[in-house]
Every structure is written in C-alpha cells, then in structure tokens.
Amino acid sequence: MNNAMHIAAMTPIYPGSTDAAGRPATLGVLGGGQLGRMFVHAAQRLGYFTAVLEPDTESPAGLVSHHHIQTDYDDPAGLAQLADLCQAITTEFENVPAQALQTLAQTRPVAPGAAVVGIAQNRIEEKAHFVACADLSGVTCAPYAVIETPAELQAVRDERPDLLPGILKTARLGYDGKGQVRVRNAADLATAWAELGSVACVLEKMLPLTAECSVLVARGWDGQVVSFAPQRNVHVDGILAVTHAYEGNMPPALATRARDAAVAIAQQLSYVGVLCVEFFMVEDGSEHGSLVVNEMAPRPHNSGHYTLDACDASQFDLQVHAMAGLPLPQPRQHSPAIMLNLLGDVWLDASGQRREPDWTAVLRLPGTHLHLYGKLHARAGRKMGHLTITGPDVASVKAVAQRAVALLGLPGYED
C-alpha cells in the first residue's frame, strides 16, 4: 500500500482505540531529538502510545516514549518493528533517509511523505519548487544559480556577476548556518566551493534584508489547511536566537502575504503534516519592503515553540492531528509571546566550565515557561531548551524578555 492510497482512504486513528489484536493506537516518529520529544508529549496527552526510532540511547524523545527502537534510520529490522507497532508515522527532522520513509509508506500512512521530504533535503530541488509555484504563492526565492560542476562555476563567474556578493550554500545537509559561506567576488566563490568539497551548491544573491519571518502551516490528508500567524525571527551565527510572536511584529500586509504564500506552497506539494516556511523581508524602496522565500522545513520548527504556551493548539498538537487523520482546529493565539532559545553556552562560564543558570531568578519572572529538552551534555551552540514569555500585552512581554535576556546573558534580543 502506498501513500497515495492512504491519502485517498485515510481512516482516522482515534486516541485510546485498539487494533484487532487489542494493541493501543500508537504513533511513530523517526528521530529522537527535542522535536520528537515534544511530538511524543502531545501524542501522549491525547491518549496515544508512541514509538521512537533513534540510534542514540540517551535521545530526548526516546527517553519519554512508550517504545524506543534503538537502530539506525535505514535499518530494515528497525523499520519493520516501527511499522508493526504503529498505525501512522512521521519524522522530526528532514535529513532522515527518504528511502526509509518510502519503505514505511508501503504499509503505513507516513506524513509527510518521502517525496516532499526529499525536496526539502536538497536546496536545488527546493528552490525549483518555489520557482514553479511562484505564480500561485505570490513570492519567489532570491536570484540564484546551481553549481555542481567546474563548468557551472565558470559560467556563474562569466555570465552571472549580478549574483555577487552572495551566499554559497551546500545543496544538502546545511542547517543552523552550517554549509554556508559568504562570498564577495569570483575569487571568493572559487575558494569557497573548494572549501565545501566541490559538492553540489547553490549561490544566492545577497539581498538587503530587513528581517526574517516564518509561517507554520498544518495540512490534513483531506486537504484541510490551518495556519499560525507569522512570527519574526532573529538569528545569531545562523542559529535561531529569538522569536517575536505577537500582533504588530511585522507589517500586516507582509504578514498576510507570508501566510498566503506558505499555504499555497503546502497545497502545491499536497503536503500532509506541519510545514514551516521561512521568508526574508527585503528592502526594495517600498513602504514595507517585499518578501522572498528562503527555505522550508517538513516538520514542526524551532520558531514555533511559542505555540506550546501562547496558543490553544500547539504546532505539535496539529502534527498529531494531521498524521492521525483527525480534524485540524484553527489555532488561536491567546497571549503575545517572545521565545528565547537556550543554547549550551548558557551552562558554560568564560573558561568553558559547566555552571548552573540562575533558574530561581528567571522563573520568578511573570509569564515565564521553561522547556528543557532532557539533553545531558551542554555544548556551545547545542540547543538545550527554550524559554517562552507570555503576558497580557506586548509591552509587558517585552519587559520580562529583556530581564530574562540579562539574567541569562542571551544574544540576539532586539525590541
């Protein structure tokens, strides 16, 4: 049975139900990181059993799931065990082998499907999709060129000088700023491509960015779509540092365009599950600027963690609903929010020795919601948790966020 057949005839998997053998309804996830952990918590709160396939014995999701299958993502025996345990399966990160999802889809609904995850795994295919649906979405990506061969490198140098200065990005396995090099001229470009191993890359023109934002969309097997309002994001060294999620966080006209574009991109893919689409806000001489689409993540996203505390349905609740074939409620944000990422640096002093953050002072602040991911070892740059601040109004949320930033020494906060 393939995923197309599941789409045509998806029977809801109800929480608390059992199969013919009396086994409880179980939802599975490939990957054991913090996104998997929060998915597991959302599924269990509804009443599902959960299974995680993840090789790490200390994985955040594996530690809290009913079942932890400790194998590699492409291990046939592990995949067979996951399919036997579960009625539907998802993934918590896009770099899981697409073939593993294809194998699972032979017998179980898999959301999102292997084809869509494969597009998100490759920037060349991803940008081609954005271009193909630009008429429908109303946005396109930054001007770019594909570089896979020395001849294509030379062609860019000779024929596309307009792309410089730019950013050279590996087509695969780039995230949190990895696999990206800024290049000023043709000489920089050649050097950077060699330093990246002469692998397939895209060169993107550097644009006058004013801000970054993202939109979370959830789409069901039946084509129903709901979404959250766009959130404005601040990155430091390529890693998300702060998310601003409240009315007025960006010009309303751009917010509407971003939300409509994200929905159109999901629809064009016949996507099932939670999708995050990231955009750049660009200065173009107009009053509010314009949008270009940057990339998409076929899963819940770091910038959507505030939904756990500021909305009546979180991105993880919608992930569970979508994959299980349940109705998708339109989420309502009941409180303005600011989310602060907590990297391992917070636990390290100037000499790199471990210290305990002043949680007493932080948790004394009104409207603070601390989420630590169960990771046992803090390292600089490692995502260890997040802190969300909610409150009755934007001004009070900003004031508390400033105090939390000062207490924890966090970078990237801007009012």
Side-chain angles (χ1 to χ4, degrees), residues 2 8 15 23 48 59 65 82 89 100 131 144 147 178 247 253 260 267 279 284 306 333 352 378 383 395 405 409 412:
N2 59 38
R23 299 184 303 177
Y48 293 102
S59 71
S65 184
L82 186 68
I89 298 163
V131 171
Y144 75 98
I147 300 177
K178 298 178 176 66
E247 189 173 356
D260 291 347
Q267 292 283 34
F279 299 89
D284 66 354
Y306 76 93
Q333 185 170 348
K383 294 177 181 176
V405 164

Side-chain angles (χ1 to χ4, degrees), residues 16 18 47 51 94 97 107 135-136 158 172 180 193 235 238 253 265 342 354 357 359 367 372 380:
T18 57
E94 57 265 47
T107 56
D135 288 344
L136 181 65
D158 293 343
R172 291 185 176 274
Q180 302 185 19
W193 193 53
H235 290 77
I265 289 167
L342 303 177
R354 185 180 172 102
W359 297 128
L372 298 184

Side-chain angles (χ1 to χ4, degrees), residues 361-398:
V362 171
L363 295 176
R364 189 176 288 125
L365 299 175
T368 54
H369 310 267
L370 178 63
H371 298 260
L372 298 184
Y373 302 150
K375 297 181 180 180
L376 304 181
H377 308 290
R379 297 191 302 270
R382 189 184 194 195
K383 294 177 181 176
M384 299 292 291
H386 68 270
L387 182 73
T388 300
I389 298 99
T390 60
D393 52 64
V394 175
S396 62
V397 169
K398 288 182 176 181

